Amino acid sequence: MTDTRGVAESRLDPDSGADARPMRVWKFGDDVDTDAIIPGRFLTINNPDELAKHAFEGTRDEFAGRVQEGDMIVAGKNFGCGSSREHAPLALIGAGIRVVVAETFARIFFRNAINVGLLPVVCPEADAIADGAEVTLRLNEGYLESGGKRFTIKPVPAFMQRIIDAGGLVPYARDVTEVPLCTK
């Protein structure tokens, strides 16, 4: 279902109502590269659950052992810079992360995240959200809440949200019976 802004309603935010579940924040700074997310020595692993065991190894060693399903990453500028490895968003999916909020994303990481079903959310004020804070994502309403404050997020285009909701590009493509036209 699409609202008037052309933003798809998401399974992550079914009603955008009072029952939206808060997510715990794992906070990172600027320029977090894909080698920090999943070190290169683990690129022979393709299973998200196995990759998750090594997420942020050498950067934030407690992450893999303490992250919980439904936690969220919040970062500064240029999250996911570096190589174009899809292993980085796959490791996050395996760790139970479904949403990454950042001031900006590296272009290739942003697209890889969508392709594997990880929601990248752009929030220009992400730096104001504290590590360990609880955040409630109001995707359909265009903001997130933390510590009693609202932070505006950029809308997720409807076609990207459909890919994320399907679990990534491959599951989405399996269900496509007709390709929608982008132009007339």
Side-chain angles (χ1 to χ4, degrees), residues 54-77:
H54 305 286
F56 293 106
E57 193 170 297
T59 301
R60 192 162 177 186
D61 290 333
E62 78 278 13
F63 180 86
R66 294 187 184 160
V67 67
Q68 297 177 16
E69 181 77 31
D71 284 357
M72 152 191 297
I73 289 176
V74 174
K77 297 177 180 95

Short mmCIF file of all heavy atoms in Angstrom, two decimals, residues 54-77:
data_model
loop_
_atom_site.label_atom_id
_atom_site.label_comp_id
_atom_site.label_asym_id
_atom_site.label_seq_id
_atom_site.Cartn_x
_atom_site.Cartn_y
_atom_site.Cartn_z
N HIS A 54 31.05 -12.58 13.41
CA HIS A 54 32.27 -11.80 13.25
C HIS A 54 32.00 -10.34 12.95
O HIS A 54 32.93 -9.59 12.65
CB HIS A 54 33.12 -12.42 12.13
CG HIS A 54 33.41 -13.87 12.35
ND1 HIS A 54 34.31 -14.31 13.30
CD2 HIS A 54 32.87 -14.98 11.80
CE1 HIS A 54 34.34 -15.63 13.29
NE2 HIS A 54 33.47 -16.06 12.39
N ALA A 55 30.74 -9.91 13.04
CA ALA A 55 30.39 -8.51 12.76
C ALA A 55 31.10 -7.58 13.73
O ALA A 55 31.11 -7.81 14.94
CB ALA A 55 28.87 -8.32 12.84
N PHE A 56 31.72 -6.58 13.20
CA PHE A 56 32.46 -5.55 13.94
C PHE A 56 33.62 -6.11 14.77
O PHE A 56 34.08 -5.48 15.71
CB PHE A 56 31.51 -4.69 14.80
CG PHE A 56 30.58 -3.86 13.96
CD1 PHE A 56 29.25 -4.21 13.85
CD2 PHE A 56 31.04 -2.76 13.26
CE1 PHE A 56 28.39 -3.47 13.07
CE2 PHE A 56 30.19 -2.00 12.48
CZ PHE A 56 28.85 -2.35 12.38
N GLU A 57 34.10 -7.30 14.39
CA GLU A 57 35.25 -7.89 15.06
C GLU A 57 36.47 -6.98 14.83
O GLU A 57 36.78 -6.62 13.71
CB GLU A 57 35.52 -9.28 14.50
CG GLU A 57 36.47 -10.10 15.32
CD GLU A 57 36.51 -11.55 14.87
OE1 GLU A 57 35.46 -12.23 14.96
OE2 GLU A 57 37.59 -11.98 14.41
N GLY A 58 37.12 -6.63 15.93
CA GLY A 58 38.26 -5.73 15.84
C GLY A 58 37.89 -4.26 15.88
O GLY A 58 38.76 -3.40 15.98
N THR A 59 36.61 -3.98 15.81
CA THR A 59 36.12 -2.60 15.87
C THR A 59 35.31 -2.38 17.13
O THR A 59 35.52 -1.43 17.87
CB THR A 59 35.23 -2.28 14.64
OG1 THR A 59 35.99 -2.49 13.45
CG2 THR A 59 34.73 -0.85 14.68
N ARG A 60 34.38 -3.27 17.34
CA ARG A 60 33.52 -3.24 18.53
C ARG A 60 33.22 -4.69 18.88
O ARG A 60 32.17 -5.22 18.56
CB ARG A 60 32.25 -2.44 18.23
CG ARG A 60 31.47 -2.12 19.46
CD ARG A 60 30.48 -1.01 19.27
NE ARG A 60 29.74 -0.84 20.50
CZ ARG A 60 28.72 -0.03 20.65
NH1 ARG A 60 28.32 0.72 19.64
NH2 ARG A 60 28.10 0.05 21.79
N ASP A 61 34.16 -5.31 19.53
CA ASP A 61 34.16 -6.75 19.74
C ASP A 61 32.94 -7.28 20.50
O ASP A 61 32.55 -8.43 20.30
CB ASP A 61 35.43 -7.20 20.45
CG ASP A 61 36.66 -7.07 19.55
OD1 ASP A 61 36.50 -7.15 18.32
OD2 ASP A 61 37.77 -6.87 20.08
N GLU A 62 32.33 -6.48 21.34
CA GLU A 62 31.16 -6.95 22.09
C GLU A 62 29.90 -7.06 21.23
O GLU A 62 28.93 -7.69 21.64
CB GLU A 62 30.91 -6.04 23.31
CG GLU A 62 30.23 -4.72 23.01
CD GLU A 62 31.14 -3.59 22.53
OE1 GLU A 62 32.31 -3.86 22.17
OE2 GLU A 62 30.67 -2.44 22.49
N PHE A 63 29.90 -6.47 20.06
CA PHE A 63 28.70 -6.43 19.22
C PHE A 63 28.15 -7.82 18.94
O PHE A 63 26.97 -8.09 19.21
CB PHE A 63 28.99 -5.69 17.91
CG PHE A 63 27.81 -5.60 16.99
CD1 PHE A 63 26.89 -4.58 17.12
CD2 PHE A 63 27.61 -6.55 15.99
CE1 PHE A 63 25.78 -4.51 16.29
CE2 PHE A 63 26.52 -6.48 15.15
CZ PHE A 63 25.59 -5.45 15.30
N ALA A 64 28.95 -8.71 18.39
CA ALA A 64 28.46 -10.03 17.97
C ALA A 64 27.85 -10.83 19.12
O ALA A 64 26.87 -11.55 18.92
CB ALA A 64 29.58 -10.83 17.30
N GLY A 65 28.38 -10.68 20.31
CA GLY A 65 27.88 -11.44 21.44
C GLY A 65 26.68 -10.82 22.15
O GLY A 65 25.97 -11.51 22.87
N ARG A 66 26.47 -9.54 21.94
CA ARG A 66 25.41 -8.85 22.68
C ARG A 66 24.26 -8.32 21.83
O ARG A 66 23.21 -7.97 22.37
CB ARG A 66 26.00 -7.69 23.46
CG ARG A 66 26.93 -8.16 24.56
CD ARG A 66 27.36 -7.00 25.41
NE ARG A 66 28.33 -7.44 26.41
CZ ARG A 66 29.14 -6.62 27.03
NH1 ARG A 66 29.12 -5.33 26.79
NH2 ARG A 66 29.99 -7.10 27.92
N VAL A 67 24.48 -8.22 20.54
CA VAL A 67 23.40 -7.70 19.68
C VAL A 67 22.19 -8.63 19.76
O VAL A 67 22.34 -9.85 19.91
CB VAL A 67 23.87 -7.54 18.21
CG1 VAL A 67 24.18 -8.87 17.56
CG2 VAL A 67 22.87 -6.73 17.40
N GLN A 68 21.00 -8.05 19.70
CA GLN A 68 19.77 -8.83 19.76
C GLN A 68 18.91 -8.56 18.54
O GLN A 68 18.98 -7.49 17.94
CB GLN A 68 18.98 -8.46 21.02
CG GLN A 68 19.72 -8.80 22.29
CD GLN A 68 18.94 -8.35 23.52
OE1 GLN A 68 17.76 -8.06 23.46
NE2 GLN A 68 19.62 -8.32 24.65
N GLU A 69 18.11 -9.55 18.20
CA GLU A 69 17.17 -9.41 17.09
C GLU A 69 16.36 -8.13 17.29
O GLU A 69 15.82 -7.90 18.36
CB GLU A 69 16.23 -10.62 17.06
CG GLU A 69 15.22 -10.59 15.94
CD GLU A 69 15.81 -10.95 14.59
OE1 GLU A 69 16.77 -11.74 14.54
OE2 GLU A 69 15.29 -10.44 13.58
N GLY A 70 16.33 -7.29 16.27
CA GLY A 70 15.55 -6.06 16.34
C GLY A 70 16.31 -4.85 16.81
O GLY A 70 15.77 -3.75 16.83
N ASP A 71 17.59 -5.01 17.19
CA ASP A 71 18.41 -3.84 17.51
C ASP A 71 18.65 -3.05 16.23
O ASP A 71 18.41 -3.54 15.12
CB ASP A 71 19.75 -4.26 18.11
CG ASP A 71 19.66 -4.73 19.56
OD1 ASP A 71 18.57 -4.67 20.14
OD2 ASP A 71 20.71 -5.15 20.09
N MET A 72 19.13 -1.84 16.37
CA MET A 72 19.34 -0.94 15.25
C MET A 72 20.74 -0.34 15.33
O MET A 72 21.25 -0.11 16.42
CB MET A 72 18.28 0.15 15.31
CG MET A 72 18.63 1.47 14.72
SD MET A 72 17.46 2.80 15.11
CE MET A 72 15.99 2.24 14.35
N ILE A 73 21.33 -0.08 14.18
CA ILE A 73 22.60 0.64 14.12
C ILE A 73 22.28 2.08 13.77
O ILE A 73 21.47 2.35 12.88
CB ILE A 73 23.55 0.02 13.09
CG1 ILE A 73 24.06 -1.32 13.61
CG2 ILE A 73 24.71 0.96 12.76
CD1 ILE A 73 24.93 -2.08 12.67
N VAL A 74 22.93 3.00 14.47
CA VAL A 74 22.84 4.43 14.17
C VAL A 74 24.27 4.91 13.97
O VAL A 74 25.15 4.62 14.78
CB VAL A 74 22.13 5.22 15.30
CG1 VAL A 74 22.18 6.72 15.01
CG2 VAL A 74 20.69 4.76 15.46
N ALA A 75 24.49 5.62 12.88
CA ALA A 75 25.85 6.06 12.55
C ALA A 75 25.84 7.47 11.99
O ALA A 75 24.78 8.05 11.71
CB ALA A 75 26.46 5.09 11.54
N GLY A 76 27.03 7.98 11.79
CA GLY A 76 27.21 9.32 11.24
C GLY A 76 27.20 9.32 9.73
O GLY A 76 26.38 8.66 9.09
N LYS A 77 28.16 9.99 9.18
CA LYS A 77 28.24 10.16 7.73
C LYS A 77 29.01 9.00 7.09
O LYS A 77 29.90 8.44 7.67
CB LYS A 77 28.95 11.47 7.40
CG LYS A 77 28.21 12.70 7.90
CD LYS A 77 29.02 13.96 7.58
CE LYS A 77 28.29 15.18 8.08
NZ LYS A 77 28.71 15.60 9.39
#
